[in-house]
Amino acid sequence: MNFYAIRSIYIFELARTWRTLMQSIASPILSTSLYFVVFGAAIGSRVGDIEGISYGAFIVPGLVMLTIMSESISNASFGIYLPKFTGTIYEVLSAPVSYIEVILGYVGAAATKSVILGALILATARLFVPYHVLHPFWMAGFLLLTAVSFCLFGFIIGIWADSFQKLQMVPLMIITPLTFLGGSFYSIHMLPPFWQKVALLNPVVYLISGFRWSFYGVADVNVEVSLGMTLLFLAVCIAVVWRIFRTGYKLKS
Amino acid sequence: MDSIISVSNLSKTYASGFQALRNVDLDIRRGEIFALLGPNGAGKTTLISIICGIVNPSSGNVLADGHDIISDYRAARSKIGLVLQELTTDVFETVRDTMSFSRGLFGKPPDPAHIEKVMTDLSLLDKADTKIQALSGGMKRRVLIAKALAHEPKILFLDEPTAGVDVELRRDMWEMVRGLRENGVTIILTTHYIEEAELIADRIGIINKGEIILVEEKEALMQKLGKRQLTLYLQNPIASIPAGLNGFDLELSGDGSELVYTFDVHGEETGIAPLLKLLNEHGIDYRDIHSSESSLEEIFVSLVTEKR
Ligand SMILES: Nc1ncnc2c1ncn2[C@@H]1O[C@H](COP(=O)(O)OP(=O)(O)O)[C@@H](O)[C@H]1O
Ligand SMILES: [Mg+2]
């Protein structure tokens, strides 16, 4: 293992986050706070409890997930797209590093940032809505798994994209709808029966449901199923990344 | 022979179908400065990129210090430093940080003293904590070299190091290259200027259209290349070269209206004055004279036709 290389990439990437502190931390916190104010406090007070949980508290796990997913993707994809775009990727390609080390560096740094961000948003949420966490260990576990999986997914998008448009297209066109339709703001049990079935095709439903279960012990789907789906998504991402590096796809001619 | 880089039967066909390298065999000796000379598009960058791991080879193999660049890439790559042709640098990082990044990437523990030394050698020390975006093009080139030297490589590749570089940097660079060689570093550089290869290299390899045409000691090659031609545009065409001019390497062209004299710049005398005198005696008048050094292009043509 080339530990110095992992450390170098990791530090380099976190330094980038630090430099752009406003965009990378402040703006997601601000926008989530707005959700809490509008949905949690203003509208939430007029909406009844969902499965015994006040609406404001109900949306906390979903909103955290929503931010984690989109931030993980945009962060990790940008992290690898930038050196590809400027050409500095040549150095990583010519270095004595294996793809595992490259991923540990890039994805590790992006996931670290996502987890920190998640914690900050949870702390911020506290200011607006009282909530409790029933299973803190599972909560941290789901948070970490989601951060890592979506950072890997972002990494793949960053390698695949050959323009800024493509880089932004996937999060915008696929992830945003999936997260909004994934039960961040409602329980899927509130949907008509047909749409409940359709919703189950959305992988994000499982992530949010599992995460919410770790807070309140209530879930749209079985928590084991949630965990299984999360791990499956992670496995798929790992497999794709493995293929990318084996073939040099979009990295080497 | 102790070779530090050994390329055998290396070929590269890009996805576009274009074959950039054809069965290249090349051995670089330990501790030498090797210049790879060839026109644009010859395949120099492709060859270097394959050795350094940036481009996948189509067939053939390469050993770097005895390590296969693919099956034993860690050992091979940790010995190599690379400076690319393009100015691809980080933007927001400082010079010191980008160098530390490079060193770590190549698996070396931090060594601020070494980083400082490299910066000193490249006159970068006063810019150590400046962000790269604030540096001029020449300074960025220095940063790229500094990054390549950050992990103390035994082999240094410089791809067109003097393209668009000012005189001062060029001088510093050659000084640095010689200094590195004294410390046992092998240097491989590419260029399309003969003069540059002549100035710095121990041996020169010529590459054209993806093929290595020849590899020779610099002195021997310069001897070969040091031919110059003098073209005399005659007033009246002649049918043949008069017998009295037999002692000169002359050729008639342009339907007898041009007389081409080939001579050696390394010779004792050029022989131009006696030739002109003899022409005068034979009553051959000329209206113009044109002198040309054999250009790289011409040398390629002559070398290629010589081989076939
Ligand atoms: N990625 C690529 N895809 C297709 N052709 C390429 C690629 N890179 C280089 N080439 C072609 O290969 C040839 C050799 O290029 P290169 O190695 O850069 O030459 P040099 O460095 O000697 O100028 C050129 O004709 C170039 O157009
Ligand atoms: Mg080139």
Side-chain angles (χ1 to χ4, degrees):
Chain A
M1 260 313 199
N2 184 346
F3 287 106
Y4 289 115
I6 302 173
R7 206 184 71 143
S8 279
I9 297 174
Y10 188 83
I11 292 175
F12 184 95
E13 283 298 296
L14 281 190
R16 192 168 61 79
T17 304
W18 189 246
R19 262 197 323 268
T20 54
L21 205 60
M22 276 311 276
Q23 293 119 283
S24 44
I25 304 274
S27 89
I29 289 182
L30 181 69
S31 59
T32 340
S33 301
L34 289 175
Y35 278 117
F36 288 132
V37 172
V38 174
F39 290 102
I43 299 180
S45 59
R46 312 222 163 181
V47 180
D49 288 2
I50 300 179
E51 307 187 18
I53 305 152
S54 79
Y55 187 69
F58 181 86
I59 62 171
V60 169
L63 278 178
V64 173
M65 274 293 183
L66 198 122
T67 312
I68 296 291
M69 289 179 206
S70 62
E71 284 296 308
S72 292
I73 290 177
S74 71
N75 228 323
S77 62
F78 196 69
I80 189 71
Y81 179 78
L82 195 65
K84 250 182 36 168
F85 178 73
T86 60
T88 53
I89 190 79
Y90 83 87
E91 205 178 9
V92 174
L93 294 177
S94 68
V97 291
S98 70
Y99 69 90
I100 296 175
E101 291 147 3
V102 173
I103 288 168
L104 284 175
Y106 279 105
V107 175
T112 303
K113 182 180 153 186
S114 295
V115 169
I116 292 175
L117 194 61
L120 287 174
I121 291 173
L122 278 174
T124 314
R126 201 79 211 200
L127 304 175
F128 301 97
V129 278
Y131 64 85
H132 61 277
V133 181
L134 211 55
H135 311 286
F137 172 78
W138 284 101
M139 195 269 289
F142 270 114
L143 191 66
L144 192 65
L145 266 179
T146 308
V148 170
S149 307
F150 278 79
C151 284
L152 264 176
F153 186 57
F155 188 82
I156 295 167
I157 292 170
I159 286 180
W160 163 80
D162 38 30
S163 65
F164 276 101
Q165 279 94 324
K166 281 192 183 174
L167 197 64
Q168 284 161 347
M169 197 176 74
V170 173
L172 208 67
M173 304 295 283
I174 300 175
I175 300 304
T176 308
L178 285 186
T179 48
F180 271 85
L181 300 174
S184 294
F185 299 103
Y186 53 87
S187 161
I188 59 166
H189 293 144
M190 294 157 77
L191 296 171
F194 172 75
W195 290 106
Q196 283 192 31
K197 294 232 164 51
V198 174
L200 288 178
L201 297 174
N202 178 358
V204 174
V205 165
Y206 300 88
L207 299 178
I208 292 180
S209 165
F211 196 51
R212 188 177 290 133
W213 170 86
S214 71
F215 280 68
Y216 311 121
V218 298
D220 290 344
V221 293
N222 215 318
V223 67
E224 285 86 12
V225 179
S226 283
L227 186 63
M229 290 298 275
T230 313
L231 291 174
L232 181 70
F233 183 59
L234 181 63
V236 170
C237 290
I238 290 175
V240 173
V241 165
W242 185 76
R243 264 204 73 81
I244 285 177
F245 277 88
R246 244 186 42 135
T247 56
Y249 170 78
K250 296 248 184 168
L251 288 174
K252 289 189 189 188
S253 32
Chain B
M1 189 182 72
D2 185 15
S3 47
I4 195 159
I5 298 274
S6 185
V7 178
S8 39
N9 208 16
L10 190 69
S11 294
K12 173 66 187 180
T13 305
Y14 280 108
S16 62
F18 183 82
Q19 186 167 13
L21 292 178
R22 299 163 190 272
N23 308 314
V24 168
D25 288 305
L26 181 63
D27 278 277
I28 310 291
R29 294 177 191 162
R30 192 177 296 275
E32 75 175 340
I33 299 177
F34 186 90
L36 193 58
L37 189 62
N40 278 327
K44 305 183 291 295
T45 301
T46 302
L47 178 57
I48 287 187
S49 300
I50 291 176
I51 299 175
C52 295
I54 298 171
V55 169
N56 290 324
S58 301
S59 64
N61 54 46
V62 180
L63 298 180
D65 206 12
H67 305 284
D68 187 276
I69 56 151
I70 295 188
S71 63
D72 196 6
Y73 70 95
R74 273 188 206 273
R77 292 185 193 171
S78 60
K79 304 259 164 56
I80 298 177
L82 167 65
V83 183
L84 282 185
Q85 190 172 348
E86 287 90 22
L87 279 182
T88 46
T89 57
D90 291 323
V91 179
F92 304 108
E93 285 70 22
T94 66
V95 174
R96 195 192 302 276
D97 286 351
T98 194
M99 287 177 69
S100 305
F101 171 78
S102 302
R103 185 175 170 88
L105 200 57
F106 279 75
K108 289 280 169 74
D111 183 351
H114 174 73
I115 302 279
E116 295 249 327
K117 186 188 170 299
V118 174
M119 285 195 285
T120 310
D121 291 351
L122 286 159
S123 314
L124 277 170
L125 202 54
D126 56 329
K127 301 271 189 256
D129 298 302
T130 307
K131 286 187 177 179
I132 297 168
Q133 62 180 347
L135 300 179
S136 68
M139 277 292 166
K140 283 185 180 149
R141 172 90 45 194
R142 286 175 198 257
V143 172
L144 286 179
I145 300 171
K147 275 165 77 75
L149 294 175
H151 67 280
E152 301 159 73
K154 291 180 68 69
I155 308 165
L156 179 65
F157 284 93
L158 299 167
D159 196 6
E160 313 251 351
T162 54
V165 151
D166 59 33
V167 181
E168 192 189 355
L169 175 51
R170 198 176 296 221
R171 203 184 50 220
D172 284 4
M173 194 144 55
W174 295 152
E175 203 172 302
M176 178 205 77
V177 163
R178 292 202 180 90
L180 286 169
R181 186 185 48 181
E182 268 165 38
N183 289 318
V185 177
T186 306
I187 292 123
I188 297 110
L189 57 93
T190 71
T191 176
H192 50 257
Y193 301 116
I194 290 186
E195 298 76 19
E196 204 160 279
E198 182 174 13
L199 185 70
I200 189 83
D202 298 316
R203 281 198 314 151
I204 295 175
I206 295 187
I207 182 170
N208 190 33
K209 298 201 169 90
E211 283 180 283
I212 298 275
I213 299 168
L214 94 171
V215 175
E216 276 202 67
E217 299 287 338
K218 175 179 66 185
E219 271 74 28
L221 186 64
M222 283 308 145
Q223 205 64 40
K224 259 192 204 171
L225 302 188
K227 296 265 198 275
R228 204 179 280 229
Q229 290 189 327
L230 190 74
T231 307
L232 297 123
Y233 298 90
L234 305 182
Q235 208 62 270
N236 305 304
I238 53 175
S240 63
I241 299 167
L245 300 174
N246 271 348
F248 296 87
D249 183 359
L250 287 173
E251 232 176 287
L252 261 187
S253 65
D255 292 332
S257 65
E258 290 169 22
L259 195 56
V260 181
Y261 171 48
T262 308
F263 61 97
D264 191 346
V265 284
H266 299 288
E268 293 275 289
E269 298 171 339
T270 60
I272 294 175
L275 173 68
L276 295 185
K277 194 158 164 259
L278 271 176
L279 286 176
N280 207 0
E281 283 168 16
H282 282 83
I284 303 176
D285 284 337
Y286 45 87
R287 52 185 169 81
D288 202 0
I289 293 181
H290 181 72
S291 155
S292 71
E293 206 154 333
S294 32
S295 74
L296 195 50
E297 242 70 24
E298 285 170 289
I299 291 159
F300 287 131
V301 172
S302 75
L303 284 168
V304 173
T305 46
E306 214 170 88
K307 264 190 99 179
R308 299 266 151 86

